Amino acid sequence: MNAADLASWIRHAAELVTADADRLTRLDAAIGDGDHGHNMDRGFRAATEALSGGAPPEDVPPGKVLIAAGRAIVSKTGGASGPLYGTALRRAGKALGDTADVGAAALGDALRAALDGVQDLGKAVEGDKTMVDALAPAVAAYEAALADGAGLPGCVRAAAGAAAEGADATVPMQARKGRASYLGARSIGHMDPGAASSALILRALADVVAAEAAAGEG
Ligand code: ADP
Ligand code: MG
């Protein structure tokens, strides 16, 4: 993947987030303050705007795209999720460094760095009913697929599937981090909104990589 591919990921993530903003807001209304769809929509729109002006030039390192997107999200998004997603993308971009062609191993390292960034900042672990419950299984599934010899499409497909399952698995959890934790046992029975948005972002990555792979074959 080059800089243009990563910019496509961010743009497609913005599309999926915007299309699902009402659902994210409803999830957050159940166990939070009902602003997650709005926050995500605003943040990813800002990221898309930061990357606008056509495809990035060939010589831009792909990592710079993620750093710019993360910076835009931090500066434009309210709530807990803005700094968390912004940090995730900036850390992923830094992990890529000056790598010009992002292959499966490099992207795996970047996703791992993103997860580490979220956990360094938010201190959530798996089972706390947060975005970590989608991101951690996604990174683990990616790494397992990579170890099994899968290429980029297989790795991101595994990650997206695990993120969706991880989001579903937050339903019976009791929140121990973030606003939802104030509800105690009443947070049980609802999907965590941040886990739902993380699943969308990884779905966007899988979609973009699949489209790229299909274009390469065709
Ligand atoms: P806020 O909770 O400030 O209104 P949002 O509604 O945009 O912010 O985002 C809520 C989501 O943020 C939660 O569903 C959860 O996934 C995530 N979140 C909150 N706190 C943490 C944390 N400490 N670590 C990881 N994720 C968190
Ligand atoms: Mg909220």
Side-chain angles (χ1 to χ4, degrees):
M1 299 179 95
N2 58 21
D5 297 326
L6 292 184
S8 297
W9 171 27
I10 299 301
R11 268 196 297 276
H12 188 46
E15 286 167 5
L16 295 189
V17 159
T18 299
D20 252 10
D22 288 347
R23 180 176 71 98
L24 297 176
T25 285
R26 273 199 308 278
L27 292 174
D28 195 34
I31 60 169
D33 57 355
D35 63 356
H36 191 57
H38 175 77
N39 290 341
M40 293 299 294
D41 187 38
R42 192 177 153 88
F44 274 79
R45 265 180 214 274
T48 302
E49 274 159 29
L51 303 177
S52 68
E58 290 275 314
D59 57 348
V60 171
K64 287 262 191 303
V65 167
L66 298 186
I67 291 171
R71 201 176 286 144
I73 287 173
V74 170
S75 72
K76 289 285 161 57
T77 319
S81 58
L84 290 165
Y85 279 126
T87 298
L89 288 172
R90 285 195 327 214
R91 289 277 198 103
K94 278 189 199 153
L96 292 178
D98 289 334
T99 306
D101 186 12
V102 178
L107 187 62
D109 290 344
L111 292 176
R112 170 63 62 186
L115 171 63
D116 287 348
V118 167
Q119 293 194 284
D120 286 348
L121 185 61
K123 311 285 178 222
V125 296
E126 280 181 81
D128 285 348
K129 195 179 180 102
T130 70
M131 60 177 72
V132 170
D133 291 302
L135 296 173
V139 173
Y142 187 108
E143 290 170 349
L146 186 67
D148 278 351
L152 195 51
C155 290
V156 293
R157 199 164 48 236
E165 282 172 21
D168 286 341
T170 63
V171 173
M173 291 177 186
Q174 176 169 334
R176 287 193 296 249
K177 280 282 183 299
R179 223 176 262 284
S181 64
Y182 308 154
L183 289 184
R186 280 183 295 136
S187 64
I188 294 172
H190 305 275
M191 187 184 293
D192 177 65
S197 58
S198 288
L200 289 178
I201 293 165
L202 287 160
R203 165 59 45 207
L205 179 61
D207 286 352
V208 164
V209 170
E212 179 73 12
E217 279 161 17

